[in-house]
Amino acid sequence: MFLGSLSDRIGRRKVLIPSLIFFSLASGVSGLAGGFMSLLLIRGVMGVAEGAFCPTSFAAVAEASKPSRIGFNQGLQQSMFALFGLGFGPFIAAWLLSFTTWRGVFLLVTVPGLILSALIWMCIRDRTPAATQSDSVSHRPSEPSASIGQVLKVRNVRIGMLGLLCAMCGIFTLAAFAPLYLTEHLHLDAWAAASAASAIGFGGFAGQWILPTLSDIYGRRPMAILGFLGGAIFVFAFINTGASILPLFGTLFGATVCSFGLLSLISGPIAAESAPPGMVSTAAGLIIGVGEVFGGGLALVVAGYLIATYGIQSMLYLALGGLAIGVLLMFFLKETAPRKLAITD
């Protein structure tokens, strides 16, 4: 929420490169942690670095994109999180564990981040403030950068913050508790549960790329409404699916396509196109920050309480409720897609 706005003032590279280096080194140091508290502090540093990198990288991609391809480009960028972090990540970690310890795995994954830091230093160039403001995603005329208070006055930013919170209810609840639901409530064995739960990673990859890409063509508002509605329908279907792997995989895949697609759509093109000139990273940071703190933090606390009180299956109704509320919120979203605005004009 705070470091995202810093890159709007000092440039993308000055935030991207240090944040990625700190993230990578903190990952490696995690393997040297001697106890819970030291590991917790190290992972906290990783969270700060990730929080600085994400909105800044989204803004950099938006500024490098044609207005008609922002959804496609930012969707492709963000889909890598689900594909490698939740899809291939566990398999990569398991393969690495075949010849090293978990501490060694943390040390090894430092290397790609340092390589990418060097590539960013070589490839990404900061645009001048005038270029960023006159040639930015919405081609608005050059004017002084807005303050954070002014960014919060933009209706789409406020709706995006609430909308991402609702989407995060679906994302984090399903990602954190679906495997437990499959094993504890439906009594699937480990292999069957893992097979069904893999839909989270691969569905997330598909959704984070497809939904923003379609929004380039059909508009941000219609696809946001469809995303929340589809997510709610698939979560409801998942709740009412028995212990059969294929239906579980299919409904969970559909739910995560929609939920992760909304994450990419709201924090990507909607944030970029709604932001005042020169404040793209600030807008994305505010939207992502609220979604992470409340959707990724508070929602899990609520889900834990519901599970302890009413059983593991009750957490699915939290995800369903969040997505259903999101449908209503998106009707108040202002359309920003350049192609749709051109047709309207």
Side-chain angles (χ1 to χ4, degrees):
M1 294 177 67
F2 303 107
L3 293 177
S5 65
L6 183 63
S7 74
D8 288 327
R9 298 193 298 271
I10 67 173
R12 310 299 181 209
R13 295 172 85 241
K14 292 178 181 178
V15 174
L16 286 174
I17 296 171
S19 64
L20 188 53
I21 290 174
F22 273 108
F23 183 89
S24 302
L25 293 177
S27 177
V29 174
S30 298
L32 304 177
F36 173 76
M37 286 307 300
S38 59
L39 184 60
L40 182 65
L41 290 173
I42 294 167
R43 304 302 281 187
V45 171
M46 287 185 67
V48 172
E50 180 188 4
F53 182 87
C54 285
T56 306
S57 67
F58 298 169
V61 170
E63 290 165 357
S65 302
K66 289 183 178 180
S68 61
R69 289 176 60 87
I70 289 176
F72 176 91
N73 291 343
Q74 288 190 319
L76 176 61
Q77 175 202 8
Q78 294 193 48
S79 69
M80 295 299 102
F81 153 66
L83 180 63
F84 285 95
L86 298 173
F88 294 140
F91 297 104
I92 294 172
W95 172 68
L96 291 174
L97 283 170
S98 65
F99 58 84
T100 186
T101 66
W102 68 269
R103 295 181 183 274
V105 172
F106 276 124
L107 291 170
L108 286 171
V109 297
T110 300
V111 177
L114 296 178
I115 293 172
L116 287 170
S117 299
L119 289 173
I120 289 174
W121 179 78
M122 290 187 291
C123 298
I124 293 183
R125 293 290 177 264
D126 282 325
R127 308 180 74 183
T128 64
T132 299
Q133 291 175 20
S134 60
D135 295 332
S136 65
V137 292
S138 53
H139 293 279
R140 288 169 288 202
S142 177
E143 57 183 84
S145 293
S147 66
I148 291 179
Q150 288 174 295
V151 174
L152 287 171
K153 291 180 181 178
V154 178
R155 184 176 70 183
N156 271 15
V157 172
R158 299 195 304 272
I159 293 174
M161 293 163 73
L162 294 174
L164 194 61
L165 190 160
C166 294
M168 290 290 198
C169 283
I171 292 169
F172 281 104
T173 302
L174 291 174
F177 296 115
L180 188 63
Y181 172 82
L182 294 170
T183 55
E184 297 296 324
H185 184 71
L186 296 182
H187 305 294
L188 297 180
D189 60 43
W191 182 88
S195 299
S198 68
I200 298 173
F202 298 114
F205 162 69
Q208 283 192 287
W209 193 1
I210 291 172
L211 202 66
T213 299
L214 292 176
S215 76
D216 284 337
I217 303 169
Y218 301 108
R220 315 301 183 205
R221 185 169 174 266
M223 295 313 301
I225 294 171
L226 184 62
F228 275 109
L229 181 60
I233 291 172
F234 277 113
V235 169
F236 181 80
F238 181 74
I239 292 172
N240 292 280
T241 298
S244 180
I245 296 177
L246 285 179
L248 285 170
F249 181 93
T251 52
L252 193 55
F253 183 90
T256 50
V257 162
C258 296
S259 298
F260 279 83
L262 288 164
L263 167 62
S264 185
L265 175 61
I266 295 172
S267 64
I270 289 176
E273 293 164 348
S274 301
M279 300 293 283
V280 174
S281 186
T282 301
L286 288 169
I287 291 172
I288 295 168
V290 168
E292 290 278 4
V293 171
F294 293 99
L298 185 60
L300 291 183
V301 174
V302 173
Y305 169 79
L306 292 174
I307 291 170
T309 307
Y310 302 105
I312 183 66
Q313 70 279 5
S314 63
M315 60 85 185
L316 292 171
Y317 291 96
L318 176 63
L320 178 61
L323 293 168
I325 293 172
V327 176
L328 301 177
L329 281 173
M330 292 304 105
F331 279 100
F332 297 96
L333 192 72
K334 182 180 178 182
E335 183 58 65
T336 60
R339 186 177 300 187
K340 293 291 289 186
L341 294 178
I343 294 173
T344 302
D345 294 340

